[in-house]
Amino acid sequence: MMDVNAQMHVYEYLGKENDPLYNNITQLKVNQSIQIPETKMQITKTRFGMYEIVSAEQHECYSSAQSLYEQINALLNPISFERL
């Protein structure tokens, strides 16, 4: 059950397929990078198919576009991601 007092992220209603960030992540090709200015992060898809985040504060790899997307959303949108 959803808590009506909790703030929701707009793409929880619209679907992540409509989120430009998700689309940019899923369209990355091997050795291609994108920047996320709000966080000063660079995301790269490695030759091993991993998604790598590099910033001054962190350097992490994720095995899927979905797990990377969830991590970046948590950083950009510190609101609860309740699942309906």
Side-chain angles (χ1 to χ4, degrees), residues 21 25 34-43 72 76:
L21 173 62
I25 291 170
I34 57 173
Q35 298 276 42
I36 302 178
E38 295 88 352
T39 61
K40 299 180 182 174
M41 286 186 199
Q42 179 176 329
I43 300 170
I72 292 173
L76 293 176

Side-chain angles (χ1 to χ4, degrees), residues 4-68:
V4 294
N5 294 318
Q7 185 175 1
M8 301 293 287
H9 185 274
V10 68
Y11 293 110
E12 288 186 61
Y13 291 109
L14 299 177
K16 69 181 178 217
E17 297 78 19
N18 295 307
D19 187 342
L21 173 62
Y22 181 77
N23 289 324
N24 284 334
I25 291 170
T26 58
Q27 293 172 5
L28 277 174
K29 295 182 181 8
V30 172
N31 294 326
Q32 185 180 25
S33 298
I34 57 173
Q35 298 276 42
I36 302 178
E38 295 88 352
T39 61
K40 299 180 182 174
M41 286 186 199
Q42 179 176 329
I43 300 170
T44 304
K45 186 172 182 179
T46 71
R47 64 182 173 156
F48 303 109
M50 302 287 287
Y51 294 88
E52 180 180 48
I53 295 178
V54 177
S55 71
E57 296 82 28
Q58 69 186 69
H59 186 168
E60 296 181 40
C61 285
Y62 296 87
S63 60
S64 70
Q66 178 64 37
S67 59
L68 170 65

